Amino acid sequence: MNPRRRTRQVMVGRVPVGGDAPVSVQSMTTTKTADVEGTLAQIYALAGAGCDIVRCTCNEEEAAEGLAQIVPRSPVPIVADIHFQHKLALAAMEAGVQALRLNPGNIRKPEHIKLVATEAKARGIPIRIGVNAGSLDPAMAERHGGITPEALVASAMHELELFREVDFDDVKISVKASNVPLMIDAYRLLSETTDHPLHLGVTEAGPLPQGLIKGVAGIGTLLAEGIGDTIRFSLTADPVEEAKAGRVLLEAMALRERKGLDLIACPSCGRAEVDVIRVASDAQAALEARNIPLQVAVMGCVVNGPGEAREADLGIAAGRGKGHLFVKGQVVRVVPRRGSPRPTRTRPRSRPRRARSCCRFRVSTRITRRSESSRFVKLPSDSRRARRRV
């Protein structure tokens, strides 16, 4: 991991972005913003999943009116997503949002951009310049030979120059693309061009699992290079999955302190002595919702099992017919596998016992077979019953 690149810091409500602040997690609601209760329910779910900042679309007057009711009740800062109409940016600021996202690809008139920046400066509201490969200004694409890293960065810097004309620099920047190599190259170039905080994301990554893989490939690569101050996974899924993915990625890269379950489990193979997939799934279901910063290892055999289990807070290393339960590196119990036969103890062979008294007869313990279907015990001839079937 490269050291994190030092950037300026902006405040999105109470959440710092950039500078020495932790990398933050963002997502976006999928509800109609005018649906105040439905949107708030989703915002609370996102916050519970580890989201630090939530963005809501402001695409109509009703959405701006909804934001006025949502912002005071939200547990996290709200960013208004603005496209095409600069007046909706003004309405969103009036509603009390903590930040704006402007797309330079579809709000292009300099006077409109400067007006929004001037109002944001007066209110102390930061703006994200959100360049997107899918909505890049055609003039920028033509000037730079298509949708290239240079075109994406040039679009962002052009918007930044307009902001500077009105002495506004409370800015963070994104240059997103659905193509992962293009996205990585664009952010690398942008990080060399400006010291403003960067918002990372692979846009329109698609449904699970490929969307998650694309997001990790792009965002994770840049974070490992020390680039990035806030992140958002763009998945065709419940936005809660975006927040979970972002949080897990940051914790896995030691960029955020772990708040939830870290489950280590082997992929299973022919050596496994237990159904690792089932046991790991049961452990995840039982512990994930508790939001306990706990590292749990579920290992199926003795190859790597004891080592991994010993390093975890809680670990299970399976052996033949039993499992070793580790707590903080110490074996606290050896648990037999459910349904496994108890181990039999082998005794050395001893001499046959002598005849012992039973009631008033002396009974020999030797069993003789008279036929394949019956067994008899040899009794004294003066017995009332010469033979007793057993």
Side-chain angles (χ1 to χ4, degrees):
M1 292 271 294
N2 290 346
R4 183 143 162 238
R5 185 184 69 101
R6 190 62 180 260
T7 59
R8 306 184 193 192
Q9 189 173 94
V10 302
M11 294 297 297
V12 181
R14 64 179 180 274
V15 178
V17 177
D20 58 356
V23 179
S24 53
V25 175
Q26 301 197 31
S27 185
M28 186 171 180
T29 56
T30 58
T31 56
K32 299 292 185 183
T33 309
D35 176 8
V36 173
E37 298 305 323
T39 302
L40 277 169
Q42 199 166 78
I43 291 169
Y44 271 87
L46 287 167
C51 197
D52 301 300
I53 300 168
V54 174
R55 180 159 43 116
C56 300
T57 187
C58 186
N59 58 337
E60 56 188 3
E61 288 292 339
E62 291 78 9
E65 294 169 2
L67 286 171
Q69 301 178 61
I70 290 167
V71 171
R73 298 168 59 188
S74 172
V76 294
I78 299 297
V79 179
D81 195 52
I82 309 297
H83 295 272
F84 301 107
Q85 301 183 53
H86 76 287
K87 291 182 179 180
L88 290 174
L90 301 175
M93 286 189 282
E94 185 66 28
V97 297
Q98 286 88 3
L100 296 175
R101 180 271 173 120
L102 299 183
N103 187 339
N106 53 43
I107 300 178
R108 300 174 192 164
K109 290 185 178 181
E111 59 271 25
H112 292 168
I113 296 169
K114 292 179 185 179
L115 177 60
V116 172
T118 301
E119 184 66 20
K121 180 182 176 182
R123 293 176 177 270
I125 295 175
I127 296 177
R128 172 163 67 95
I129 299 173
V131 180
N132 194 303
S135 55
L136 182 65
D137 186 344
M140 286 290 177
E142 185 177 356
R143 191 178 308 161
H144 293 276
I147 301 175
T148 63
E150 293 76 14
L152 296 174
V153 173
S155 178
M157 299 312 294
H158 173 69
E159 187 97 343
L160 189 59
E161 286 300 323
L162 293 174
F163 287 172
R164 286 173 177 164
E165 289 181 19
V166 294
D167 196 27
F168 179 75
D169 63 357
D170 199 8
V171 176
K172 50 193 175 82
I173 306 174
S174 63
V175 283
K176 297 185 181 182
S178 58
N179 179 285
V180 176
L182 172 61
M183 172 264 191
I184 292 172
D185 289 343
Y187 276 104
R188 284 172 175 164
L189 179 59
L190 183 62
S191 70
E192 296 170 358
T193 306
T194 181
D195 65 348
H196 284 281
L198 304 185
H199 169 121
L200 304 184
V202 176
T203 192
E204 300 145 5
L208 300 167
Q210 65 262 31
L212 183 61
I213 294 169
K214 288 166 69 176
V216 170
I219 297 170
T221 296
L222 291 165
L223 290 174
E225 295 177 5
I227 298 171
D229 302 285
T230 185
I231 66 172
R232 188 238 169 150
F233 278 77
S234 296
L235 302 176
T236 310
D238 186 329
V240 169
E241 297 300 325
E242 298 182 353
K244 287 181 179 179
R247 187 77 203 189
V248 169
L249 177 61
L250 295 180
E251 291 179 4
M253 299 184 74
L255 292 171
R256 290 289 292 267
E257 184 180 355
R258 188 170 68 246
K259 283 189 174 181
L261 175 66
D262 179 19
L263 182 59
I264 299 168
C266 68
S268 191
C269 69
R271 292 189 301 269
E273 298 291 345
V274 294
D275 185 349
V276 178
I277 297 172
R278 182 184 63 79
V279 175
S281 297
D282 289 347
Q284 186 168 19
L287 298 172
E288 188 174 40
R290 295 177 180 268
N291 288 327
I292 302 172
L294 192 68
Q295 188 178 68
V296 177
V298 177
M299 306 301 292
C301 74
V302 296
V303 175
N304 297 319
E308 290 284 6
R310 191 175 291 113
E311 294 299 318
D313 297 318
L314 178 66
I316 300 171
R320 182 165 296 176
K322 60 185 177 181
H324 291 78
L325 179 63
F326 289 81
V327 175
K328 295 291 186 180
Q330 301 296 321
V331 178
V332 297
R333 187 173 299 175
V334 177
V335 184
R337 182 180 176 184
R338 184 180 298 173
S340 295
R342 293 186 177 183
T344 56
R345 297 177 59 186
T346 58
R347 295 180 178 178
R349 294 183 65 182
S350 59
R351 295 178 181 178
R353 294 179 181 177
R354 292 184 175 181
R356 60 185 177 85
S357 176
C358 179
C359 299
R360 61 191 182 89
F361 305 112
R362 293 185 58 81
V363 182
S364 171
T365 57
R366 179 175 294 179
I367 298 175
T368 59
R369 186 179 300 276
R370 293 303 180 101
S371 68
E372 292 184 1
S373 60
S374 63
R375 294 180 180 179
F376 299 89
V377 177
K378 193 172 182 180
L379 299 175
S381 57
D382 61 344
S383 170
R384 293 180 182 178
R385 292 178 297 176
R387 294 178 184 138
R388 186 178 67 178
R389 187 165 182 159
V390 297

